[in-house]
Amino acid sequence: MSETGGVREVKSAARTVELLELLAARGDRPARLQELADELEVPRSSMYALLQTLISRGWVRTDVTGSLYGIGIHALLTGTSYLDSDPRVRLVRPYLDEASQALGETIHMARLDGRDVAYLATRESHEYLRTISRVGRRLPAHVGALGKALLAERPDGDLPEGPYRALTPNTRTSREALVADLAGVRARGWSIDREEGVLGIVGFGFALRYDTPAQDAISCSVPVARLSAAHEERIVAVMRETRAKIEARAPGGGGGSVHWRS
């Protein structure tokens, strides 16, 4: 049985979290009972009982036939509470607005979560509107500007062995290629994602060094069609200035605020 900090893991709690994470990862693809039971390797009867408990509490929803399951509204309410209570997100949001207005492009904030980055805030460009908000979504750290900016703050020895998952033909899928790219990030001071995560989009990522190693980063995303050399230079200048402003305002060790471990 696994342990955390010397405390034995509670199996029922772990199973509940695994189920919620599985449903969240499926997005708009609802799952059937047997699929969930098979994926988590639990008896069908146990999975059914767990689903009914979570449905009654709003963490899971089901369709009118009772045969399809998806993530429930309480997951949204809890996620919103996380964003509203996080002092770093509150600090960064106004500067995302400022950078978006200055550049006319989409600006993101994300946090490293294992091998992924989780999007915490986004200010969309009026020129390029996404149909789905990225807030609350995850992206492998190796494919985007945000993740690469944060990976560059850590030793290369922390990187897993490849090959890595490709999201576009431009994704760096080998450990060697990623290590070389991260060396460039450290030399420049920011990361560049040239259509590695999304075709047609270039990203510029900047780690926020108010934590060591950095846990958060900001980025600017711009369609390739609008990216000239002059605009790229302007993006880097504005985003560097934005990072400096955020880091200068970040709370220190005092002030009575809570400093979470993750």
Side-chain angles (χ1 to χ4, degrees):
M1 183 173 293
S2 61
E3 296 187 356
T4 303
V7 178
R8 183 175 296 180
E9 183 178 80
V10 179
K11 188 174 181 180
S12 59
R15 181 175 293 172
T16 301
V17 171
E18 289 169 357
L19 172 59
L20 292 173
E21 289 180 342
L22 175 58
L23 290 173
R26 292 180 64 92
D28 61 355
R29 297 180 296 111
R32 296 186 179 276
L33 173 62
Q34 193 61 55
E35 289 180 273
L36 297 172
D38 292 343
E39 181 71 22
L40 298 183
E41 299 180 343
V42 300
R44 181 185 173 96
S45 59
S46 298
M47 178 57 66
Y48 180 78
L50 178 55
L51 285 167
Q52 295 309 307
T53 299
L54 293 173
I55 288 169
S56 69
R57 294 176 179 269
W59 284 91
V60 171
R61 59 180 172 173
T62 188
D63 70 332
V64 293
T65 69
S67 61
L68 295 174
Y69 302 93
I71 196 72
I73 194 170
H74 277 215
L76 170 63
L77 300 178
T78 301
T80 301
S81 176
Y82 177 89
L83 295 175
D84 291 343
S85 66
D86 190 282
R88 306 302 202 198
V89 177
R90 291 201 306 270
L91 166 69
V92 170
R93 278 172 173 161
Y95 295 103
L96 300 186
D97 292 331
E98 185 179 294
S100 183
Q101 291 170 6
L103 294 170
E105 304 295 353
T106 298
I107 312 296
H108 300 292
M109 175 193 184
R111 180 164 296 161
L112 193 65
D113 182 24
R115 297 182 182 180
D116 299 334
V117 289
Y119 285 79
L120 302 181
T122 293
R123 296 298 181 264
E124 298 286 359
S125 165
H126 295 300
E127 302 293 331
Y128 178 73
L129 294 177
R130 296 180 185 275
T131 57
I132 300 176
S133 172
R134 279 203 176 183
V135 174
R137 296 178 181 273
R138 298 160 66 92
L139 190 71
H142 69 277
V143 304
L146 289 159
K148 291 196 295 181
L150 292 168
L151 292 179
E153 297 292 307
R154 291 157 172 77
D156 292 337
D158 290 354
L159 295 173
E161 295 297 328
Y164 307 139
R165 180 161 66 101
L167 296 190
T168 77
N170 300 318
T171 303
R172 288 173 171 81
T173 57
S174 73
R175 191 176 188 278
E176 294 75 14
L178 182 59
V179 166
D181 190 19
L182 296 181
V185 175
R186 297 181 187 110
R188 284 189 305 272
W190 66 88
S191 65
I192 303 174
D193 154 26
R194 297 194 185 276
E195 301 184 81
E196 297 165 42
V198 179
L199 288 175
I201 300 295
V202 177
F204 301 85
F206 297 76
L208 298 174
R209 295 168 179 145
Y210 42 54
D211 294 312
T212 304
Q215 300 295 321
D216 299 340
I218 56 174
S219 74
C220 176
S221 297
V222 55
V224 173
R226 286 212 304 275
L227 187 60
S228 63
H231 192 32
E232 182 169 329
E233 184 176 339
R234 169 72 171 156
I235 288 170
V236 171
V238 169
M239 294 301 290
R240 289 178 69 178
E241 181 181 4
T242 300
R243 171 169 64 183
K245 289 178 180 179
I246 293 170
E247 291 176 346
R249 290 288 308 278
S257 60
V258 178
H259 297 280
W260 303 102
R261 288 195 297 175
S262 61

